[in-house]
Amino acid sequence: ENVLTQSPAIMSASLGEKVTMSCRASSSVNYMYWYQQKSDASPKLWIYYTSNLAPGVPARFSGSGSGNSYSLTISSMEGEDAATYYCQQFTSSPYTFGGGTKLEIK
Amino acid sequence: EVKLLESGGGLVQPGGSLKLSCAASGFDFSRYWMSWVRQAPGKGLEWIGEINPDSSTINYTPSLKDKFIISRDNAKNTLYLQMSKVRSEDTALYYCARPLYGNYGGFAYWGQGTLVTVSA
């Protein structure tokens, strides 16, 4: 099983601040997928194929990485970005998720 | 508009069984792999398994392979999850999910989830 480790588990950022969160895989993956989840809501696909933004996702978000190391970056934090972000790999079954990074407003 | 609507959740006793359903609409259900994902209260997401369009391939996360059975009825546009030998740790919100493309691209569509509570 490919274990995905997200860091940090919890972080806070000020409005306008640049934010970067990490997802590391125990085995190399072809692509990484990211989801945003807010309280009491279903997850939303946020980034697919490592760096493609899902429809409706603001351009301040970006994804990058390769092999075992991936990241999600917000160029300038906005209030609506406060949420939990999960990474997921589809390279090998089981399609594991990371434990999540909870992003709060400072 | 793509819609996924889970149902069948509720209170079940430890050791019991429950069958969840996911009614799909707004797309050609028979052309997509479908998955189940669960989320325990206050916890992260866990992929349960997937089924291909003609039900010839079903994959599970290893720890759940002997307890859960995924099936589908393309004529009814419905996905199922048969749960058995449930334990307290199976208490969770259960989602069905559809990938962006046939079997790849990430889970672009999710239902609202159905809550399963395992308790005596």
Side-chain angles (χ1 to χ4, degrees), chain A residues 1 33 35 37 41-45 47-49 55 86 88 90 93-99, chain B residues 37 39 43-47 50 59-62 95 100-101 104-108 110-112:
Chain A
E1 174 174 318
Y33 301 81
Y35 300 86
Q37 186 179 35
S42 302
K44 294 181 180 179
L45 180 63
I47 296 175
Y48 62 102
Y49 291 142
Y86 294 94
Q88 185 191 19
F90 278 91
S93 180
Y95 303 141
T96 44
F97 289 91
Chain B
V37 177
Q39 187 169 34
K43 303 297 184 182
L45 301 169
E46 180 181 24
W47 181 77
E50 64 177 352
N59 298 312
Y60 298 93
T61 197
Y95 296 102
L100 182 61
Y101 306 113
Y104 51 97
F107 293 139
W110 299 67
Q112 85 292 341

Side-chain angles (χ1 to χ4, degrees), chain A residues 15-36:
Chain A
L15 298 179
E17 183 179 349
K18 181 178 181 179
V19 173
T20 299
M21 59 188 70
S22 168
C23 178
R24 293 187 179 273
S26 59
S27 300
S28 180
V29 298
N30 297 328
Y31 300 101
M32 193 59 72
Y33 301 81
W34 295 87
Y35 300 86
Q36 181 196 69

Side-chain angles (χ1 to χ4, degrees), chain B residues 5-76:
Chain B
L5 183 63
E6 301 93 339
S7 62
L11 179 65
V12 57
Q13 292 190 337
S17 299
L18 199 63
K19 189 171 186 177
L20 309 181
S21 300
C22 170
S25 61
F27 65 101
D28 189 348
F29 180 73
S30 66
R31 296 182 60 181
Y32 286 85
W33 290 64
M34 296 294 295
S35 281
W36 286 98
V37 177
R38 71 180 181 180
Q39 187 169 34
K43 303 297 184 182
L45 301 169
E46 180 181 24
W47 181 77
I48 296 170
E50 64 177 352
I51 184 168
N52 74 334
D54 68 3
S55 304
S56 61
T57 299
I58 306 173
N59 298 312
Y60 298 93
T61 197
S63 62
L64 300 176
K65 187 175 182 179
D66 295 331
K67 290 171 40 133
F68 292 175
I69 298 174
I70 296 173
S71 62
R72 65 191 294 164
D73 185 335
N74 288 341
K76 296 182 177 180

